[in-house]
Amino acid sequence: DQQVKQNSPSLSVQEGRISILNCDYTNSMFDYFLWYKKYPAEGPTFLISISSIKDKNEDGRFTVFLNKSAKHLSLHIVPSQPGDSAVYFCAASARYNRKLIWGLGTSLAVNP
Amino acid sequence: GAVVSQHPSRVICKSGTSVKIECRSLDFQATTMFWYRQFPKQSLMLMATSNEGSKATYEQGVEKDKFLINHASLTLSTLTVTSAHPEDSSFYICSARDSEGTTIAQPQHFGDGTRLSIL
């Protein structure tokens, strides 16, 4: 059973516009959420995280929003750049073991 | 930022060979490191959690005798694929978390992965 779901396998956005990547989770014990970016044949690169005590965290062009009641988080990238084209993974962990549970990823293509 | 170095980046070898992959945290200490495997077009699959100074914790379905993990220091964990066969060909990735991150949430930082091809 997929505890972390990224329902959109791919997303295409025009350069300069906003990219919104979505993630849903089922385990109410999750209290820490992360977004990673991954290029082919490379390890994931940490982008941004959010603790369950917050509903928003911002870092430059990247903002993560957390809606605990809906068990939903999203990553906003604005403005989107061609270099942002990659696979984005959402991951979650719970305090009791801090093991990361991963979504299946969303492939983002930013078109010039 | 935190850097994790994984070596080698690519290995091609004959069936029956044992292959060792190293994972080092370069600018922080990691009591816990993680080993993942990624199949084409799939997400990362956690294989095992490597704990410094103690035995690794393996995920269900992962053979501990096949995938030997050693975490002898706070900056180094190794994964040895013993007697590798073609079905072991995959992309193996390690990650490490700062030693502060047991109860305090900290991100895992990843190496660049090892592409293992068994002929």
Side-chain angles (χ1 to χ4, degrees):
Chain A
D1 181 36
Q2 197 78 20
Q3 294 187 64
V4 177
K5 300 177 186 177
Q6 292 177 257
N7 292 319
S8 298
S10 63
L11 176 67
S12 184
V13 170
Q14 207 64 27
E15 181 179 5
R17 307 294 285 268
I18 185 171
S19 295
I20 300 176
L21 298 111
N22 293 304
C23 180
D24 297 291
Y25 62 96
T26 57
N27 190 340
S28 57
M29 298 297 288
F30 289 149
D31 65 350
Y32 184 56
F33 305 88
L34 309 91
W35 284 95
Y36 284 84
K37 173 181 176 181
K38 186 180 183 300
Y39 295 112
E42 291 185 12
T45 301
F46 169 69
L47 276 177
I48 193 167
S49 64
I50 188 166
S51 160
S52 60
I53 61 173
K54 294 186 173 182
D55 54 19
K56 178 183 174 181
N57 189 26
E58 197 170 348
D59 184 0
R61 295 186 299 116
F62 302 93
T63 303
V64 56
F65 295 92
L66 175 63
N67 182 334
K68 288 188 292 294
S69 60
K71 292 192 177 70
H72 176 85
L73 63 152
S74 60
L75 174 68
H76 292 211
I77 306 173
V78 57
S80 301
Q81 300 173 354
D84 296 328
S85 298
V87 177
Y88 288 78
F89 288 96
C90 168
S93 72
R95 181 182 296 274
Y96 57 85
N97 69 3
R98 287 287 163 231
K99 191 163 63 175
L100 284 182
I101 308 300
W102 296 80
L104 293 179
T106 297
S107 179
L108 173 66
V110 180
N111 306 307
Chain B
V3 177
V4 173
S5 173
Q6 186 172 341
H7 179 80
S9 58
R10 183 168 181 102
V11 180
I12 302 172
C13 58
K14 293 181 180 179
S15 185
T17 307
S18 291
V19 178
K20 181 186 279 189
I21 304 169
E22 291 188 350
C23 182
R24 293 180 186 273
S25 57
L26 296 186
D27 51 359
F28 65 99
Q29 293 184 329
T31 52
T32 306
M33 291 186 174
F34 304 86
W35 288 96
Y36 293 84
R37 184 173 179 176
Q38 187 180 27
F39 294 98
K41 298 187 180 179
Q42 292 191 26
S43 188
L44 298 171
M45 184 194 81
L46 180 65
M47 298 174 65
T49 302
S50 169
N51 303 297
E52 188 265 336
S54 65
K55 290 184 180 178
T57 305
Y58 289 81
E59 295 300 301
Q60 192 172 14
V62 178
E63 298 176 60
K64 53 184 72 174
D65 294 333
K66 175 74 169 176
F67 299 100
L68 299 179
I69 290 171
N70 183 277
H71 192 159
S73 78
L74 285 171
T75 59
L76 174 65
S77 175
T78 60
L79 168 69
T80 301
V81 184
T82 62
S83 188
H85 289 97
E87 59 266 28
D88 298 323
S89 299
S90 192
F91 190 56
Y92 293 87
I93 314 174
C94 73
S95 72
R97 192 174 61 208
D98 196 292
S99 291
E100 292 290 314
T102 47
T103 54
I104 302 169
Q106 294 267 0
Q108 291 178 22
H109 299 280
F110 286 79
D112 277 339
T114 298
R115 171 69 59 192
L116 177 61
S117 301
I118 308 299
L119 306 177

